[in-house]
């Protein structure tokens, strides 16, 4: 069940947290600081945030995602779709996020996941 806390900054999460997933499966976490994205800087030069994917290496499936930052709720739909359809992360490479936007964080997270898998 996707969840959003509309605070400043927003907190958006779906699926399992890293601690929950580690309780019953082998997973890795990949993180990226969205403040390093051109789109985040354009949105707000003082943008602060955090993004994490929880990935199961054996299936290459997304098990959880958390986004923190202004507009984080906008990133949740793609994560919810990836989790509920059990998509292999390699298929997400064909879904190109628009540049320069904060959704480019998906590209950076997928790069980090590919390096660990």
């Amino acid at each position: 069940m996707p969840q959003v806390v509309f605070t400043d900054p927003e907190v958006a999460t779906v699926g399992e947290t890293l601690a929950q997933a580690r309780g019953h499966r082998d997973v890795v976490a990949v993180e990226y600081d969205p403040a390093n994205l051109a789109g985040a800087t354009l949105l707000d030069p003082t943008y602060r945030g955090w993004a994490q994917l929880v990935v199961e290496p054996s299936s290459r499936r997304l098990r959880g995602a958390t986004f923190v930052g202004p507009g984080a709720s906008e990133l949740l739909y793609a994560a919810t779709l990836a989790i509920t359809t059990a998509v292999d992360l390699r298929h997400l490479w064909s879904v190109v996020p628009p540049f320069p936007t904060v959704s480019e964080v998906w590209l950076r997270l997928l790069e980090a996941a590919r390096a660990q898998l």
Side-chain angles (χ1 to χ4, degrees):
M1 176 69 71
Q3 303 172 50
V4 179
V5 180
F6 291 100
T7 54
D8 186 13
E10 291 179 5
V11 179
T13 185
V14 64
E16 297 174 305
T17 65
L18 181 59
Q20 289 169 333
R22 281 190 173 154
H24 55 91
R25 64 177 47 126
D26 180 37
V27 293
V28 297
V30 294
E31 298 180 5
Y32 191 80
D33 180 355
N36 294 324
L37 300 170
T41 303
L42 288 173
L43 182 66
D44 180 353
T46 63
Y47 189 100
R48 291 181 29 179
W50 178 71
Q52 180 187 66
L53 299 182
V54 177
V55 179
E56 183 178 44
S58 62
S59 65
R60 294 182 178 268
R61 287 178 51 193
L62 183 61
R63 294 298 182 171
T66 302
F67 303 100
V68 179
S73 58
E74 298 295 330
L75 301 169
L76 203 56
Y77 180 77
T80 303
L81 185 63
I83 291 170
T84 60
T85 60
V87 67
D88 185 308
L89 287 185
R90 291 173 288 198
H91 294 295
L92 292 179
W93 280 102
S94 62
V95 182
V96 180
F99 176 84
T101 67
V102 178
S103 66
E104 185 189 355
V105 73
W106 276 100
L107 176 61
R108 303 300 169 222
L109 289 167
L110 289 172
E111 289 171 341
R114 183 170 54 181
Q116 288 192 38
L117 300 179

